[in-house]
Amino acid sequence: MSSSDRIAQFQRMAEADPSNEMAHFSLGNALLGEKRFAEASRSLERCIELVPEMSRAYELVGRAMIGAGWADRAVVLLERGYRIAAERGDLQPRDAIAALLREIGREPPVIETRASRPAAASGSNGFTCRRTGRPGTRLERPPFKGALGAWIQENISSETWNQWIGQGTKVINELRLDFSREKDQQVYDQHMYEYLGIDEALLKQLSASS
């Protein structure tokens, strides 16, 4: 699928459901890949409005704003994203945001260490979802076999996983995916990774441990 086709599909998804944060995220990411920085920024800002704790979106909107020449605007969102990523333990977005801030002559915010903070509230079973940073319920079993399924069970709440199932249904319907085609399965998987905050570095790590 060409980049223009992907952008058109994500635009249709975002227009069909303006509250679909992953449609805005995916559209922004695709526009960023084409160096359409101002458009990418708008889509990613909308994603952040819908899901303020999505640290990866802050990294991408920072890249888009810097590319558009809006460094001052980028600083505000990058600093907020850095704090969110550090709080949630999202190391890859945190480090990428720090690098972006240094590129424009800023240092990342000083973050209080976990050791000096009171323990965060957790769910009744002591589980906190890594994606949302909120208390939740641990999945009773991995959603599928292998290291990735085990990681999801250990890090993603049942509530967030169920939300992905609903989101994944939208992805299938909007993009008319056919899982008999490997390329369509890959498209679906990429949306899942983005929704759950699973980056390429983590995928490589999980693949190596399988």
Side-chain angles (χ1 to χ4, degrees):
M1 183 186 300
S2 69
S3 60
S4 59
D5 288 340
R6 291 179 69 246
I7 288 170
Q9 286 188 331
F10 295 142
Q11 284 175 327
R12 288 194 293 271
M13 288 179 67
E15 290 167 2
D17 182 3
S19 65
N20 184 339
E21 75 272 15
M22 283 312 300
H24 294 289
F25 180 91
S26 298
L27 176 57
N29 195 20
L31 289 166
L32 182 59
E34 292 299 300
K35 298 185 178 181
R36 293 164 62 175
F37 299 120
E39 295 169 90
S41 177
R42 287 192 290 271
S43 293
L44 292 161
E45 285 183 279
R46 177 56 180 157
C47 175
I48 288 170
E49 288 175 7
L50 293 167
V51 186
E53 65 275 3
M54 190 183 291
S55 57
R56 172 72 168 151
Y58 287 93
E59 174 196 341
L60 296 186
V61 78
R63 292 186 187 281
M65 287 183 171
I66 292 169
W70 304 335
D72 289 342
R73 288 179 59 191
V75 167
V76 175
L77 288 176
L78 286 171
E79 289 184 344
R80 187 193 309 166
Y82 184 87
R83 292 187 178 94
I84 289 170
E87 175 68 27
R88 295 181 56 205
D90 295 343
L91 302 184
Q92 191 276 337
R94 183 202 65 184
D95 293 346
I97 290 170
L100 286 171
L101 284 166
R102 291 186 176 110
E103 282 179 18
I104 55 177
R106 299 294 188 103
E107 282 298 313
V110 176
I111 304 297
E112 191 178 6
T113 63
R114 290 185 180 275
S116 62
R117 295 197 309 264
S122 58
S124 59
N125 59 355
F127 188 87
T128 300
C129 180
R130 174 165 174 165
R131 178 186 180 274
T132 64
R134 298 170 184 163
T137 306
R138 188 175 186 270
L139 287 164
E140 292 184 1
R141 60 184 62 85
F144 35 79
K145 296 179 180 179
L148 178 58
W151 184 92
I152 291 172
Q153 184 187 25
E154 293 298 323
N155 293 278
I156 301 299
S157 70
S158 174
E159 292 81 3
T160 298
W161 179 251
N162 288 335
Q163 288 168 6
W164 159 247
I165 296 301
Q167 175 67 30
T169 300
K170 292 180 182 179
V171 170
I172 293 168
N173 292 337
E174 292 291 339
L175 300 185
R176 300 179 182 178
L177 300 182
D178 178 354
F179 286 166
S180 67
R181 297 194 292 260
E182 183 178 355
K183 185 178 294 186
D184 284 14
Q185 179 68 61
Q186 292 172 347
V187 169
Y188 179 86
D189 289 347
Q190 187 59 44
H191 277 273
M192 180 182 71
Y193 301 150
E194 291 174 349
Y195 190 90
L196 299 180
I198 298 171
D199 58 31
E200 186 176 346
L202 177 57
L203 284 173
K204 289 180 179 178
Q205 178 184 335
L206 293 172
S207 177
S209 67
S210 296

